[in-house]
Amino acid sequence: AQKVTQAQTEISVVEKEDVTLDCVYETRDTTYYLFWYKQPPSGELVFLIRRNSFDEQNEISGRYSWNFQKSTSSFNFTITASQVVDSAVYFCALSEGSGSRLTFGEGTQLTVNP
Amino acid sequence: DGGITQSPKYLFRKEGQNVTLSCEQNLNHDAMYWYRQDPGQGLRLIYYSQIVNDFQKGDIAEGYSVSREKKESFPLTVTSAQKNPTAFYLCASSMDGGTANTGELFFGEGSRLTVL
């Protein structure tokens, strides 16, 4: 069975600090996909990134970066120079094979204080 | 604008009553999903549908029912058999549920159900 663990329930930082959100996953499949979603206070989840299991290249998008390491089954998310608008709940998710049935982690509540 | 519309946003129900949550999408997506969100438990899949007139149980389907008579609509009924229905319910859709899918889900803004 697949499982996603986000050990950090809540993180609080001051604006402009860098912050890393941890995600550890378990799966028996060799083909799988990893995702990060952001849930702002309005409630809807917003897609941030998708990674397949064969692509371990790290990715950077503006202030966001992702570090995928199969050796440690981790897919961590770093926000550089955090801003108040980054305050949200962030979810890591996993899907096995080709389907889009996602298993979500418990989420990390990030609060960025001015 | 294209997107997913959930209604109502807030709903109160007395114990023993069934309630139906609406989910409509105009993205022309084949697949639709219902998730339940509880504090500290992330999102759990209730039901999903990959095509009209077909749907499958997710991880926590007991006490819930769905229908998929139209591509754009996937209503969820929370029945009186659901022991702990107070939660935040999220509907989502994706292009399709098969190999062509990028896995990107589009979510509605959710419906918060409170049982009094």
Side-chain angles (χ1 to χ4, degrees), chain B residues 5-92:
Chain B
T5 302
Q6 288 187 242
S7 62
K9 196 163 187 177
Y10 298 95
L11 186 61
F12 297 89
R13 180 194 106 176
K14 292 182 180 178
E15 279 194 35
Q17 287 181 336
N18 291 356
V19 61
T20 297
L21 308 180
S22 169
C23 178
E24 303 278 330
Q25 55 101 354
N26 60 5
L27 301 166
N28 200 33
H29 285 171
D30 287 319
M32 296 188 74
Y33 312 80
W34 274 105
Y35 285 89
R36 169 178 171 143
Q37 183 176 10
D38 295 283
Q41 295 193 50
L43 277 69
R44 293 180 291 167
L45 183 64
I46 305 172
Y47 269 99
Y48 64 105
S49 167
Q50 294 178 300
I51 197 169
V52 175
N53 292 323
D54 187 41
F55 49 83
Q56 287 79 40
K57 293 182 179 179
D59 300 317
I60 55 165
E62 185 176 351
Y64 299 98
S65 66
V66 293
S67 63
R68 186 87 187 276
E69 297 175 1
K70 298 186 296 182
K71 187 175 184 177
E72 59 270 22
S73 179
F74 191 42
L76 172 74
T77 297
V78 185
T79 75
S80 57
Q82 169 50 234
K83 299 301 180 192
N84 185 20
T86 295
F88 187 55
Y89 292 89
L90 283 158
C91 179

Side-chain angles (χ1 to χ4, degrees), chain A residues 37 39 44 50 98 100-101, chain B residues 33 37 59 98 101-102 105 108:
Chain A
Y37 282 83
Q39 185 180 38
E44 84 282 12
R50 168 186 181 262
S98 58
S100 60
R101 178 174 169 163
Chain B
Y33 312 80
Q37 183 176 10
D59 300 317
N101 189 25
T102 65
L105 298 184

